[in-house]
Amino acid sequence: MANPLRQNIVALTILQAANMLLPLATLPYLLRVLRPGNFGAYVFAQAIVGYLVLLTEYGFNWSSTAYVARVQNDRYAVSKIFWATQGAKALIAVVCLAILLLAAFFVARLRELLPVLLATYPLVIGTVLFPQWLFQGLERMMFTTISILSARLLLLPLTLFLVHSPADTWIASLISSTSMVAAGLVALILIEKNRMIIAMMPSKADIIEALREGWHTFISTAAISLYTTTNSVVLGFLAGNAAVGYFGVADKIRNVAQAPLGPLSNAIYPRVTALFSEDSAKAFALVRKLFYLLGSTMLLASVALWAGAELIVRIAMGPGYEPAVVVLKWMSLMPLLIGLSNVFGIQVMLPLGMKKKVSEILIVSDFSILPFSFRLDRFTALRARQCLPSPPNFLSRPQWLST
């Protein structure tokens, strides 16, 4: 691997390690302060806003990354892609806010959670501001690490200082979501300081073209969300906040277990994309190395989750989260499956121009499994109603929403 690739992997590994370690300073605290029902509301709001984040990203993290990687030495071309992509994301973010408010107006469950939902919405704003796809395409992932890490370290103490009771659920959500906004601002400062982009106004045609080019990758990432985000949303409507809390705890542990996937995938993707346009033999050689590395790593992660589920939940979460053990065991195979999907879908099919095929595969797979997901969520809902106490009225309406 060339030196820039090694540097990117190191930078993303540092970031991923920080993403694993920094939550340990606040997550156990939040779990004990908010309790399962209130933590479930926190997770449920993140899942709902997660749809808006997904819509705002619109697959640009893959489509725009690929285009920047191909023209990374042409500052004007990179700038044109940057402003077209940012303009498209900004327009989508405005639509997302309107969708959120309309949904809360018509759906009582969302209206009840409106303070937490609004406090979580800055995630969408941060998604607009933070151009991870640009740093990825230029193979300068150290800027990603600097931006995100500095923002999270800055806001980390606020959780301990300001969140003291279940009524502070919206504050916990606001602190978490604001970190993404701060990361975006740091990223823009770095872009300006290093003169990476030329100032220009994107044309309507450029924005439409960016949306058109990102469509198939958007469909692919939207399909993936059906088995990552939708479970929390469906469970929240059917079973209430406590059940979402148990599911959310298990899902966060699963995310930690598959953390090595992120640095390798994000660092190698632009290099593989460039190699496929220059030397396909070298590209496939790099993909084979990734397959063996990710396959073995994610297999170990899956085995560790299955074998250590009870111990992990007991140590990390404390009493009251025992039902999360079974959920975590059911999720234990996901790191391996997601790792293999990433190698074959993201690292091979997308660079080869098979975006439509990737989206078709994911859509067919997700719609095939979706009925089983709903049946499982209904079963979980019945168990939750029978075995769990009714969650308390966990939200006190903030003063700033009452005036």
Side-chain angles (χ1 to χ4, degrees), residues 293-356:
L293 180 59
L294 276 185
S296 57
T297 304
M298 293 298 99
L299 176 60
L300 289 175
S302 291
V303 171
L305 285 182
W306 173 267
E310 185 174 352
L311 181 64
I312 293 170
V313 171
R314 185 170 68 247
I315 292 176
M317 311 306 155
Y321 289 91
E322 290 79 7
V325 173
V326 176
V327 181
L328 184 57
K329 287 194 172 186
W330 277 100
M331 288 184 174
S332 62
L333 194 59
M334 287 182 66
L336 177 60
L337 296 178
I338 292 174
L340 296 178
S341 173
N342 182 280
V343 172
F344 297 124
I346 302 299
Q347 308 296 342
V348 177
M349 296 181 71
L350 287 186
L352 289 176
M354 303 172 69
K355 295 183 288 186
K356 186 176 180 181

Side-chain angles (χ1 to χ4, degrees), residues 60 83-85 87-88 91 202-212:
F60 292 132
W83 291 112
T85 302
L91 289 175
S203 67
K204 180 180 177 181
D206 289 339
I207 292 175
I208 293 174
E209 178 66 12
L211 292 171
R212 188 183 68 81

Side-chain angles (χ1 to χ4, degrees), residues 223 359-369:
S359 61
E360 288 173 352
I361 291 170
L362 289 170
I363 289 172
V364 171
S365 301
D366 288 337
F367 276 102
S368 298
I369 200 66

Side-chain angles (χ1 to χ4, degrees), residues 272-291:
V272 168
T273 300
L275 282 176
F276 269 116
S277 64
E278 300 168 1
D279 189 336
S280 60
K282 289 184 178 179
F284 278 114
L286 182 56
V287 169
R288 278 194 294 271
K289 292 179 182 179
L290 183 65
F291 169 77

Side-chain angles (χ1 to χ4, degrees), residues 228-260:
T228 56
T229 302
T230 299
N231 282 330
S232 294
V233 175
V234 173
L235 198 58
F237 280 108
L238 293 178
N241 298 317
V244 180
Y246 300 137
F247 180 87
V249 166
D251 196 45
K252 287 184 182 297
I253 295 173
R254 188 265 307 172
N255 275 322
V256 171
Q258 69 185 50

Side-chain angles (χ1 to χ4, degrees), residues 34 37-38 41 112-113 166-169 241 390-397:
L34 301 182
N38 308 325
E112 171 195 350
L113 285 170
D168 296 331
T169 304
N241 298 317
S390 299
N393 185 9
F394 59 90
L395 288 175
S396 65
R397 195 172 182 81

Side-chain angles (χ1 to χ4, degrees), residues 8 11 22 39 47 60 146 225 251 303 317:
N8 289 331
L22 290 179
F39 184 74
F60 292 132
I146 294 172
S225 77
D251 196 45
V303 171
M317 311 306 155

Side-chain angles (χ1 to χ4, degrees), residues 55 110 114 169 179 191 196 288 305 307 340 349 375 400:
L55 186 59
L110 299 182
L114 187 58
T169 304
S179 66
I191 290 172
M196 297 167 62
R288 278 194 294 271
L305 285 182
L340 296 178
M349 296 181 71
R375 289 180 64 88
W400 54 270

